[in-house]
Amino acid sequence: MRVDSPQGRFAMEAERLDGATLVGAEAVGKHLFIEFDAPEPRWIHIHLGLIGKLRIEPVAALRGEIRLRLSNGVTEALLSGPQWCRAVTDEEHATVEATSGPDPLRPDADPEVGYERLSRSGKSIAALLMDQRIAAGVGNIFRAEVLFRNRLRPTTPGREIDRRTWLVIWKDLVTIMQDAVRAGHIDTVRPEHTPEAQQRAAREDRHGGEVYVYRRAGEDCLVCGSEVRTVMLEGRNMYWCPGCQRRKRAARS
């Protein structure tokens, strides 16, 4: 495998891994690990952050500032603008796995690990869902939408969330996150709330997809008509509907 850093900021590490066999790759929440058959440190650890991009495409002329390029001569992976791109050891890789919460996209994830951490906290469920030690990979969109879909009050402390409610949240995260992976964009509205079903205009937003509350502050709730609200919570905008989201516990099915 050819490994290089056209931008130069990963050049030393890339040179050491260049020519090694790529063994595999795995995602742990928002962390991507690429493993090579090479002496330590033999992993590349990538975190895209808010602006990073990883493109997989046929070999072609480079576009943009490329931090890392992996190429087999036919197809290449091009990384630009990541928060992290670094070479790490087996021990460092294991530490990230051990401290990360369960990932709803992984079949081996154990939601009880997240509940054990959540149930000891006085922080709000809205804040805790952004904590990667509780549920790895959940971002601002999924946080807002899963709480709305289950009519949960975002300010409820984690220690007041019972196990059944957490498992309802978890199951719904698995559903909407896997749907997003398959579709290539995030849609969280149920069939009865789509533009076609409600005879309304489709959402126009750079993030794409149909959602209930995310980035809809000041607009009418698609379900009850109340004004969707937003507030800054730990550096990120939190969105919710005061009319729909009144529960501390998930409704029984």
Side-chain angles (χ1 to χ4, degrees), residues 124-171:
S124 70
I125 181 62
L128 291 169
L129 281 174
M130 295 287 282
D131 185 337
Q132 299 300 294
R133 296 169 298 176
I134 304 296
V138 175
N140 205 6
I141 303 177
F142 291 118
R143 178 264 296 271
E145 295 298 299
V146 77
L147 291 176
F148 178 89
R149 282 165 57 95
N150 294 286
R151 305 297 188 264
L152 295 172
R153 186 184 306 164
T155 55
T156 304
R159 58 176 172 246
E160 295 182 19
I161 299 292
D162 61 26
R163 177 175 273 100
R164 187 184 67 83
T165 297
W166 168 246
L167 292 177
V168 168
I169 292 172
W170 175 264
K171 184 178 179 180

Side-chain angles (χ1 to χ4, degrees), residues 15-68:
E15 182 178 2
R16 193 180 59 78
L17 293 171
D18 188 32
T21 300
L22 192 155
V23 177
E26 66 170 344
V28 180
K30 297 183 179 183
H31 303 270
L32 174 64
F33 290 96
I34 303 173
E35 181 182 7
F36 290 85
D37 182 8
E40 296 250 42
R42 64 192 186 92
W43 298 83
I44 295 178
H45 178 195
I46 294 170
H47 190 304
L48 293 179
L50 294 176
I51 63 171
K53 294 182 179 179
L54 181 63
R55 309 193 306 268
I56 309 294
E57 54 190 41
V59 171
L62 288 179
R63 302 192 307 275
E65 292 289 320
I66 304 302
R67 180 80 55 87
L68 171 68

